[in-house]
Each structure stands twice: as structure tokens, then as C-alpha cells.
Amino acid sequence: MRALQTLVRKEFRQIFRDPGMLRIIFAVPLVQLLVFSYAANTDLHNVPVSALDQDQTVASRRLVEAFFHCDVFVPGPIAHDPRELKELLANESARVALWIPKGFTKDLAEGRTPQVGITVDGQNSSVAGRASGYAQVIVARETQRMLRERGFEPETASGGVARVTGITRFFYNPQLESRFFMVPGILVLLITVISSLLTGMAVVREKEIGTLEQLLVSPLRPFELVVGKTIPFVVVSFFEFCFAGVVAVLWFHLPLEGSIPLLALSGMAYLLVTLGVGLLASTLSQTQQQAMLTVWFFLVFGILMSGFFYPVENMPRWAQWISAADPVRYIMDIVRGIFLKGSGFLDLWRDLAILTGMGLFVFGSAAQRFQKRLS
Amino acid sequence: MKRVFAMARKEVYHILRDRRSLGVAILMPLAMVLVFGFAIDMELKHLPVAFLDQDHSPASRALIRNMTSSGFIVDAARLRTREEIGAGFRSSRFRAAVIIPRHFARRLDEDETSPVQILIDGADGTTAATVDNYLNTVLLQFNRELVNSGAAATLAASAIPVDPRLRIDFNPELKSAYFVVPGLVAVVLMMICALLTSIALAREKETGTLEQVLTTPVTPLQVIVGKLLPYVGLGAIDASLVLAVGRLVFGVPMHGSWWVLAAYSLVYIMIALSLGLLISALAGSQRNAMMFALVATYLPSLILSGFIFELRGMPLPLRMIGEIIPATHYIRIVHGILLKGEFWFGRDLAIMLVLLLAFTGAATRRFRATLE
């Protein structure tokens, strides 16, 4: 036990002696949290719209104006002929092009459906999909309103006809701010990256520069060596998790609805997984570069399949199966649930149990492999 | 020149000997394209929704059938009480709940408006808004069917709501692969050329072999060029693989010229290499080099370049940072060449050249300082 204490103390001293390391532990996550939380915004904002208004009437101008009543669209350069409209789209001055041909008002006056052209830049498919949805709704709503003003009944407001109305209520995040959803995810990413990469490289480093053999001739038992090498990273990563969490709550006003002990418990269970992955990679690797790439492989797919960017339900069946084996997915659900929805143990016990099971398995097998390599 | 090639050959042996790293470096970009292309469909579907049918009438069942028929939402659970809704949201069992109240059908028969409650888990705001949109569209259609089947159907025959003619340019089917492939090329090149080289150089420093090499008649410049060359090759192989898979598997078009693409890519690769060089000069150990490279090159290329998140949606300071990230301009160029067939990108090229000069200048200064 004494030897273990000494090893842990040595590891801590080694971490805090290196100013580069201090920067990695404190400055880097803070910068990442701030930058990514502002950047990872999937709300549509400032999408430039260019209009080609060949009708040039009050009604057509009103339709163009209707686009700028919400904060999704902003006015882009105005086009004077179809060719110019196409160019504006091609050089990305506009993302959405609206073409109101001549006869728009005349159609309205005669109660006919006016033809309006909407062209969307489809390069970013997710933005394009949503922007086209918004644009269609705006055009439909505004033209319906204008038809009604002219005494025609568009069908949705069909007077005495029975109709079903939807009354929507949004739980937890009534403003539907994407940031509240992204920030807990970013917290998870931060501790995932830091804990697994640092552990992976730290052990191999001793191998690479030859100090591991020195440790082996010390009175440390292999088990103590594993624990001693990982404890500092548990502490550092856990501290990081709390630190980033506090910043998220204070700076981004992320609501913390659920229980803090549960959050801490889940964080610990998850660290078992990431440290285990790091340790496992280090037993498989000869150089730090190799260890890093091995961990990286886990990181890239763990994060891609976790539902951080795109909902898991959205993936094809086979991908959902892969995702079921992805520890990042469970912690992502847990952390988001605790922060945003106030999910409790009863809501999350299954995720938590799977995560703990994975942690024990990964860490256990990594520790065992590590011991075997040593003896 | 011979010495440069000797250095390069040594580095190639290094790379080839480490099979697993090589495997990861080549397979990962490939796997990423496949995952992005097959698994990550940006169009939402299969979202689980729960139903609480308090009416149990043919009309309420018809409404539920209408809502679930398109596959956009899945009938995830039939609830008995309202209490189950909160629990379901908290454990993420479903994302929305539709409550059809008692007397739903009777109210319809009596020509009243008949409200339906839609409760949505708003935690994921983007998805929530889409679900709301979809459910309301279904209600609209449901109403239309009611109108058409009822006696009053002829009422509004002349005034069908506008059906705007929608066209999507450059990516008509909104395939995510069109969008992802150029971004991945940029990220992969950055990863191989900046991240791996910075670690490779830092390793020589850390293990002390850099000094050994420098005592030989090879000049520092030759050492560096020699060490970097193989990574240019590796990066080029990776980028070509990503492009090939994008084209052959996902049908990403190539409207421009491969030569133009190669020329711009060369500039980008040189920027990535100079960044890798700069980082290895700044960092004392492989670990620090990796962390710096991660934060300074990989993550910005992924997040601030407009690859995953739109630059336009970001606050001004971040947009400005985004503008000085090489990947932002490179992604624009690749998009332009592949999807639009353009070939001249004066502004993006100018910014990339300025960045190249700045990074190489800083890197050589730092490197000379550390070597002497």
C-alpha cells in the first residue's frame, strides 16, 4: 500500500510538473467547451434569401417580406433576372432563392393558386432540408392569408367543417434551443477524449522511454502498478468533468434538473470504460503514436454512433445494433437526461447498469492483460 | 536530394513496420465515409412516439394510423395514463406523446373543432421542432380527408393552398454523402498531415534520436522534408480513398477536374504539414504534440469549418476564427469543384496562401531555435 501511495504521488508530480500538461488539463477543455458550445448550434439562423420579384406588386413584396419576419432568414442580394438568381445561389451569396413570376397578384385576385419557385442550395443537406421546410411553410401561410383577404377560403380554414387542431407543448426546453442539448454532449466528449487518450499514452510512454522496466524492479505488484497509474487520471478526468459542468451551468445557464450525486456516480462508471479503453490500447501498443491511433479509433466511432450529432433512432437497424454496444451512447443519454429532464435513478438504471457492466468488463480485461504483459 | 530520399525511406519503413497504425490511418477515413454515408441520414425518421388514446373510436384509430403510416414516426408505446409520459421522456423511451382526448370523435361529428394534445420532449430542440412540424402536417392532411369525405367538400375547391414549386440545387436528393465527403477529405488530410507528422517529429525529439540524426551530414531541412514526404503520400492515398468511395458507393458527382482538385489539395496539404511542424516545434513531448494538434487542427477542422455546423449560425468571433481555418476554405473549394464544376477560387486560395506563409515562417523560426 505504501508503494502504491508513492507511485500515485510520483504520477501526480509528473503531471503537474509539466506546464504543457497543465494547459492540457485546464485551458484546453475550457476553450473547447466555450468554442464548441457556441459553434455547435444546429438552429437555423441568418440563412440568406435572394428574391427575384418579377411581379413587382404590393402582394409580391409582402410575400418577400414575410421571409424576414422570423430570424431564420435574412435578406440576401436582390436578383433582376433568373440567371442572376442562379449565380447568387452558385456563389453562395444566397442559400435560398425565391422566384415570384409575373401574374402572382392576378392569380390571387382570381382565386387561383399562384406559382412560386423556391430553390434551395442543397450542399448541406440537413440545413437545406429544414430551410426548404420553413420556406414552404412561409409561402403557404402568406399566400393563404392573402387569398383569405380576397374572399377566398383556403381549405385549412374551411368554416363550418369539423377540424382537428393540434395543441403542442414542448417539455424541458420550450425555446427549443439546440445549445442546451449540445452542451451536455460536449461535456461527455471532453472527458472521453482526455481520459482515454492520456491514459493510453501515459503507460506506453514509460514503455517507449524504457522506464517501465525500472518500475517493474520496484517492490510494486502489477496490480498496484495498474491502479497507481490510473488513479491520477481518474482524479484529473473527474475534476475536469465537474469543472466543465460548473462552467456549463454558470456560463451557459444549462439547467441542472436532476441529482448531482447521480451525475457523479454515472461519471465514475463511465470513467471505468474510458480508462479501460486507454489501458487496453496501451497494452496493445508499442509506441505512443500507436496507442493514440488505437484510442482514436474508439473515439471516432464511439462518438459518431452515440447520437451526439444525430439521433440514434434515425440510424438503420444494423447501425442501431452497433450503437447499443457503444458506451458513449449510454453516458450521453444519462448526462443529457440528468441535466435537462431531471431523470432519476429509476429512469436511468438500465443505462447505468449497462455502462457499469461495460466499465467493469473493459477495465477488468485491460488490467488483466496489463498484468500478464508485466509478469 | 539523395539524403532527403534516404530520410523519407527510413520514415516509410517506420510507417510500414507499424502495421496497426497504418491500418488505422487508412481504414479509419474509409470507415468514416461508410458510416456517414450509410448510417447517418440527416433526414429524420423512425422517431418513437407514444399514443394515449382516450377515445377508442374509429376516428382516433384512423388518426394514429395516419400519423404512423409514413415511417417518420414509429408507434413506440400505447399509454394508459398521462403519468407515463413524463417517465417515458425521462428515460428517453419516446420523444413525443399524442393525447387524443375522450369525445374526440363525437366532437368531430358535432362539427366542433376537436383538439388533440401533442407533448414533445424538447431537449433536442431541432428534432422536437421537426416532429411538431410533421405531426401538424398529418393533422392538416387528416382535416383534408375529412373535408373531402364530408358534404361540405366542394366548398373550397377553387382555393387549394399554394403548392410552391421547390427545387434543390447541387444536391437534389439531399444526400448527406455529397456534403460529408468533401468535409471528410479536409479532416482526414489534416489528421494525417498535421497530427501524425507532429507526433512523428516529437517522437524523435522525445526519444533523443533527432540529435543522432543531426550529427550525420544531413541538414535539418533535409531531415524535415524527408520525414514529411511519406505523410504527404499517406494523406494523398487516404484522400483518394475517401473520394473514390464517395464516388463509387454514394455517387458523389465530379463536375470539375481532378487536376484542379489535386492542385488545390497540394496547397492544403502543405498548410497541414507546416502546422504539424509548428506544433512539434512548440511541444516538448508526443503527448503535448498530440493534444495541441487535436485542439489546433483536428477539432477546428471538424467543428469550425462549416463541415458539421453552419458557420452562419455562429457568433461573430467564431465566424472570424472559422474564416482563418484552412479547412473552411478547402471544403468550399472541394464543394465547388465536385458539385458545381468551378475551378477558380481566388479569395479562398489567397487566404490559404497567406496561412501557408505564416505557418511555415513561424515553424522554421521555432525549429531553428530549438535545434541550435
Side-chain angles (χ1 to χ4, degrees):
Chain A
M1 217 49 206
R2 279 277 295 280
L4 180 62
Q5 272 177 13
T6 323
L7 178 63
V8 171
R9 204 173 311 137
K10 173 222 144 210
E11 291 290 323
F12 268 116
R13 205 167 286 165
Q14 216 167 13
I15 290 177
F16 290 109
R17 203 180 45 193
D18 180 358
M21 188 68 183
L22 284 180
R23 240 171 290 158
I24 289 174
I25 293 173
F26 294 97
V28 167
L30 190 63
V31 171
Q32 276 176 295
L33 181 66
L34 291 177
V35 168
F36 296 157
S37 302
Y38 280 114
N41 192 334
T42 50
D43 302 330
L44 280 190
H45 273 307
N46 302 337
V47 178
V49 180
S50 280
L52 168 61
D53 182 358
Q54 293 182 316
D55 197 46
Q56 292 288 350
T57 54
V58 180
S60 69
R61 271 191 290 273
R62 213 178 100 184
L63 180 62
V64 177
E65 275 304 303
F67 273 80
F68 310 124
H69 291 328
C70 60
D71 57 359
V72 173
F73 297 112
V74 292
I78 289 175
H80 299 95
D81 55 74
R83 205 180 42 87
E84 200 183 343
L85 199 62
K86 227 182 141 114
E87 258 166 38
L88 288 174
L89 217 54
N91 66 25
E92 305 200 358
S93 317
R95 278 299 172 86
V96 176
L98 175 68
W99 180 10
I100 308 178
K102 222 170 170 51
F104 177 77
T105 314
K106 201 164 145 253
D107 280 340
L108 281 176
E110 291 164 8
R112 253 200 318 268
T113 311
Q115 289 289 352
V116 173
I118 301 173
T119 313
V120 178
D121 175 353
Q123 291 184 77
N124 182 338
S125 43
S126 128
V127 171
R130 282 178 296 145
S132 67
Y134 279 116
Q136 279 175 298
V137 169
I138 289 173
V139 170
R141 200 187 293 150
E142 200 58 30
T143 22
Q144 277 178 36
R145 194 176 296 155
M146 290 194 261
L147 275 172
R148 218 171 298 137
E149 283 166 12
R150 285 164 175 74
F152 299 100
E153 271 307 316
E155 88 181 25
T156 44
S158 33
V161 180
R163 81 185 260 263
V164 184
T165 52
I167 302 163
T168 306
R169 220 183 100 200
F170 293 105
F171 279 51
Y172 312 120
N173 177 10
Q175 264 79 50
L176 299 184
E177 268 199 61
S178 64
R179 184 171 301 152
F180 283 162
F181 190 60
M182 295 314 272
V183 170
I186 293 167
L187 281 187
V188 170
L189 292 196
L190 284 184
I191 58 158
T192 310
V193 171
I194 290 272
S195 58
S196 56
L197 277 179
L198 287 187
T199 323
M201 291 180 84
V203 180
V204 183
R205 191 185 133 94
E206 305 248 7
K207 240 194 250 181
E208 208 175 30
I209 51 181
T211 45
L212 193 61
E213 275 128 34
Q214 290 170 21
L215 277 178
L216 287 181
V217 295
S218 69
L220 281 165
R221 276 172 298 166
F223 168 72
E224 288 175 329
L225 193 56
V226 174
V227 174
K229 289 236 61 131
T230 44
I231 280 184
F233 292 108
V234 174
V235 175
V236 166
S237 310
F238 194 69
F239 170 79
E240 199 118 277
F241 186 49
C242 302
F243 176 63
V246 169
V247 174
V249 170
L250 293 183
W251 184 263
F252 290 109
H253 304 290
L254 181 72
L256 176 50
E257 304 286 348
S259 103
I260 295 178
L262 185 62
L263 192 61
L265 185 74
S266 320
M268 283 308 240
Y270 182 58
L271 282 180
L272 268 183
V273 179
T274 56
L275 294 173
V277 167
L279 204 59
L280 201 60
S282 73
T283 63
L284 294 169
S285 309
Q286 297 308 317
T287 63
Q288 291 185 61
Q289 192 184 33
Q290 214 176 30
M292 187 211 71
L293 280 171
T294 312
V295 174
W296 196 289
F297 202 77
F298 159 76
L299 285 178
V300 167
F301 291 101
I303 292 169
L304 272 183
M305 305 308 275
S306 73
F308 172 58
F309 299 119
Y310 314 99
V312 174
E313 299 101 313
N314 215 20
M315 300 174 181
R317 190 55 40 95
W318 60 268
Q320 289 193 28
W321 279 107
I322 298 178
S323 169
D326 179 5
V328 191
R329 174 199 170 167
Y330 295 101
I331 188 71
M332 201 66 94
D333 272 354
I334 292 174
V335 171
R336 278 171 171 165
I338 294 178
F339 267 107
L340 299 172
K341 309 183 197 172
S343 304
F345 184 76
L346 288 179
D347 302 309
L348 299 174
W349 68 269
R350 209 169 325 171
D351 286 353
L352 203 53
I354 295 175
L355 197 60
T356 315
M358 283 179 173
L360 290 175
F361 176 73
V362 175
F363 192 83
S365 45
Q368 205 179 19
R369 252 195 84 91
F370 189 70
Q371 286 186 34
K372 216 188 276 166
R373 302 284 314 241
L374 293 184
S375 47
Chain B
M1 216 48 205
K2 243 169 92 183
R3 285 174 185 155
V4 172
F5 283 124
M7 272 306 293
R9 202 162 54 224
K10 174 201 149 246
E11 195 62 24
V12 169
Y13 287 144
H14 254 298
I15 296 174
L16 287 182
R17 208 176 42 195
D18 183 356
R19 284 288 155 78
R20 184 144 40 84
S21 294
L22 185 65
V24 172
I26 287 181
L27 283 181
M28 191 152 57
L30 216 56
M32 274 171 87
V33 195
L34 292 173
V35 166
F36 259 113
F38 281 125
I40 293 171
D41 191 344
M42 310 229 188
E43 228 176 304
L44 293 173
K45 54 183 182 242
H46 306 313
L47 297 172
V49 173
F51 293 93
L52 174 56
D53 183 358
Q54 295 174 323
D55 197 43
H56 295 293
S57 60
S60 69
R61 278 192 288 272
L63 181 60
I64 295 176
R65 219 171 23 247
N66 274 17
M67 285 180 163
T68 51
S69 64
S70 75
F72 179 80
I73 60 173
V74 210
D75 187 351
R78 289 303 170 93
L79 309 177
R80 296 238 174 85
T81 61
R82 285 171 155 268
E83 280 68 47
E84 290 172 62
I85 295 174
F89 283 168
R90 283 196 300 276
S91 58
S92 301
R93 219 150 48 88
F94 43 79
R95 287 170 173 267
V98 177
I99 305 178
I100 304 176
R102 196 163 296 155
H103 308 313
F104 169 77
R106 217 178 72 200
R107 284 178 160 206
L108 279 181
D109 287 340
E110 289 167 1
D111 273 2
E112 283 178 63
T113 57
S114 190
V116 168
Q117 245 190 325
I118 301 171
L119 305 180
I120 300 179
D121 172 358
D124 178 359
T126 315
T127 307
T130 318
V131 171
D132 182 39
N133 239 328
Y134 169 78
L135 290 177
N136 277 302
T137 315
V138 173
L139 290 184
L140 217 73
Q141 257 163 18
F142 192 73
N143 285 327
R144 199 173 297 170
E145 280 165 27
L146 284 178
V147 173
N148 288 343
S149 60
T154 48
L155 183 83
S158 66
I160 343 157
V162 230
D163 174 25
R165 274 190 300 175
L166 180 73
R167 217 183 75 206
I168 312 259
D169 269 14
F170 311 122
N171 182 6
E173 286 153 72
L174 290 182
K175 284 191 193 164
S176 47
Y178 282 28
F179 181 62
V180 161
V181 165
L184 270 185
V185 172
V187 170
V188 161
L189 281 175
M190 196 44 98
M191 188 185 113
I192 304 287
C193 296
L195 194 86
L196 287 191
T197 47
S198 69
I199 293 180
L201 281 168
R203 179 173 59 201
E204 302 257 4
K205 251 162 95 180
E206 201 174 34
T207 50
T209 45
L210 192 58
E211 275 139 30
Q212 289 173 19
V213 175
L214 286 176
T215 52
T216 62
V218 194
T219 64
L221 183 72
Q222 288 169 331
V223 173
I224 289 167
V225 174
K227 277 201 80 90
L228 295 187
L229 267 181
Y231 290 95
V232 177
L234 193 55
I237 292 173
D238 268 343
S240 319
L241 276 175
V242 171
L243 284 169
V245 170
R247 187 155 170 69
L248 299 176
V249 182
F250 301 109
V252 176
M254 176 53 166
H255 290 308
S257 135
W258 292 106
W259 292 109
V260 174
L261 183 61
Y264 282 108
S265 303
L266 196 63
V267 179
Y268 180 70
I269 288 175
M270 278 160 66
I271 296 177
L273 291 176
S274 60
L275 260 173
L277 200 59
L278 181 61
I279 287 162
S280 68
L282 289 172
S285 63
Q286 292 183 65
R287 182 188 61 208
N288 293 5
M290 180 208 61
M291 279 296 174
F292 283 151
L294 192 70
V295 172
T297 66
Y298 185 75
L299 290 173
S301 306
L302 202 63
I303 294 197
L304 293 177
S305 65
F307 171 30
I308 293 182
F309 303 106
E310 278 275 276
L311 271 177
R312 286 178 214 275
M314 296 179 193
L316 190 65
L318 285 187
R319 253 153 60 199
M320 282 156 64
I321 298 177
E323 283 298 321
I324 57 165
I325 286 174
T328 311
H329 301 282
Y330 183 65
I331 290 177
R332 264 183 217 155
I333 292 172
V334 179
H335 266 152
I337 296 176
L338 290 182
L339 304 183
K340 300 182 192 164
E342 289 169 11
F343 56 87
W344 178 243
F345 304 87
R347 198 171 147 269
D348 294 310
L349 183 63
I351 294 174
M352 277 171 58
L353 287 176
V354 170
L355 289 173
L356 177 61
L357 283 178
F359 292 146
T360 5
T364 38
R365 278 235 324 266
R366 278 298 308 209
F367 227 85
R368 206 163 287 150
T370 42
L371 289 183
E372 278 160 10

